[in-house]
Amino acid sequence: MDNDMWSRPRVTEAMLRAIRSDIDVEGNLMQNVSTLMESFGEVAVALSDMQDKDLAFEVLNQVKELVTLRENVKHHKEALISLVDTYECPEEDGDLTDFDQVIKTKASEFASASNFRSEDAEEVRSLQAELGNIGAGGNEQAQEMGEDEDLVIDDTSGLAPNDTCPLTLKPILEIDDPVEDAKGIVYERRMIEESLHKEPSNAHVCPMAGTNHIVRLRDLVPARRVMRERKRRFAQASGAADSEELDDVL
């Protein structure tokens, strides 16, 4: 073992416990911000459905701010981890470390290296795509063109690269628990997880024809866009059914 690493005292155990506690807190904060962004996204889509496009895009801007907040917390967390790994106490007892400044400097370095832009975040791009599609005309435009309403309802373009689960061939909007891989391919959770668990590395080539990327168990995330679209279409269908029942009564 290299004796040089012990030439100066490093972070004390008490400090380590405090920093690790802060790291856990910031990890939880990042998760809470992500959950809040998901809720804001649902609100934006609902507002757009009600033709309140201006307010919907105001909510989109709030999502961008939340993405930036999450990114800042992430860099602060990275700075704390770096402090644990690399910090050494000053040689002189009278030299006090300004930990606040050390962490800010490190966080700034991580931020500069990331070249982050809120517009590039997956949540922002997905939400912009949803709002853009609705703003471009959506179902109203299809009806003006005389298209059959059922064909519009079944359209899943823009939600994912695939219309059906590659394993079960079930339409993605009929999947109860949809997940997506790093490339956005949507699967039925139970089936893709069972398939991946059969591999020692929990990974294999995507089963969708025409693709060759590796699907990893750790990369699977809930297919938020598909789930929101299911809710949106269910709400539309419920509203149409209520309207028909009212017409029958009248």
Side-chain angles (χ1 to χ4, degrees):
M1 182 179 293
D2 187 357
N3 291 329
D4 289 342
M5 69 179 292
W6 303 110
S7 61
R8 284 190 286 167
R10 298 174 66 81
V11 182
T12 66
E13 284 301 318
M15 291 170 62
L16 279 175
R17 286 194 296 270
I19 293 172
R20 285 169 179 157
S21 176
D22 286 343
I23 291 172
D24 290 340
V25 167
E26 296 196 351
N28 291 333
L29 177 58
M30 289 173 62
Q31 183 59 51
N32 291 338
V33 171
S34 295
T35 301
L36 187 58
M37 281 193 293
E38 180 184 342
S39 299
F40 271 48
E42 293 177 355
V43 170
V45 172
L47 288 169
S48 189
D49 287 345
M50 294 186 291
Q51 304 304 312
D52 196 340
K53 303 295 191 297
D54 291 339
L55 191 53
F57 279 96
E58 283 185 26
V59 176
L60 172 62
N61 288 330
Q62 294 296 317
V63 171
K64 291 180 181 179
E65 291 185 11
L66 287 171
V67 167
T68 301
L69 171 62
R70 184 183 63 184
E71 188 73 7
N72 290 338
V73 173
K74 177 182 127 180
H75 295 317
H76 194 270
K77 179 182 175 183
E78 290 172 334
L80 290 173
I81 294 172
S82 175
L83 180 65
V84 171
D85 293 338
T86 64
Y87 177 75
E88 292 182 342
C89 296
E91 291 181 338
E92 299 296 331
D93 292 339
D95 295 335
L96 299 179
T97 299
D98 186 344
F99 285 103
D100 186 51
Q101 187 58 48
V102 170
I103 294 170
K104 284 181 179 178
T105 299
K106 267 296 180 186
S108 179
E109 291 174 0
F110 284 119
S112 298
S114 71
N115 295 318
F116 167 77
R117 295 193 325 143
S118 62
E119 293 81 2
D120 296 333
E122 176 62 28
E123 295 91 344
V124 173
R125 289 191 287 109
S126 298
L127 185 54
Q128 281 179 323
E130 289 187 77
L131 298 180
N133 290 338
I134 297 170
N139 291 347
E140 293 178 359
Q141 184 181 33
Q143 291 169 2
E144 289 173 1
M145 294 172 64
E147 294 185 13
D148 184 80
E149 186 175 353
D150 290 337
L151 294 179
V152 176
I153 291 297
D154 290 339
D155 179 27
T156 56
S157 60
L159 290 177
N162 56 316
D163 295 327
T164 61
C165 172
L167 298 173
T168 65
L169 301 183
K170 180 182 289 188
I172 60 175
L173 288 176
E174 295 180 12
I175 298 175
D176 292 330
D177 190 7
V179 294
E180 61 184 47
D181 64 21
K183 297 293 185 180
I185 307 297
V186 175
Y187 311 83
E188 192 166 354
R189 180 189 292 276
R190 181 176 63 83
M191 298 305 296
I192 186 62
E193 288 186 350
E194 286 181 1
S195 178
L196 292 172
H197 278 306
K198 293 177 182 177
E199 303 294 332
S201 61
N202 288 337
H204 60 54
V205 175
C206 177
M208 180 175 166
T211 64
N212 58 8
H213 67 280
I214 300 300
V215 182
R216 296 180 174 82
L217 184 63
R218 68 173 183 266
D219 292 337
L220 297 179
V221 296
R224 305 292 188 191
R225 282 175 291 179
V226 173
M227 295 163 69
R228 284 201 297 265
E229 184 65 11
R230 282 188 61 187
K231 290 180 181 178
R232 187 178 73 85
R233 295 187 183 191
F234 178 78
Q236 286 182 333
S238 298
D242 291 342
S243 178
E244 289 178 2
E245 289 180 3
L246 181 59
D247 289 341
D248 291 339
V249 172
L250 295 176

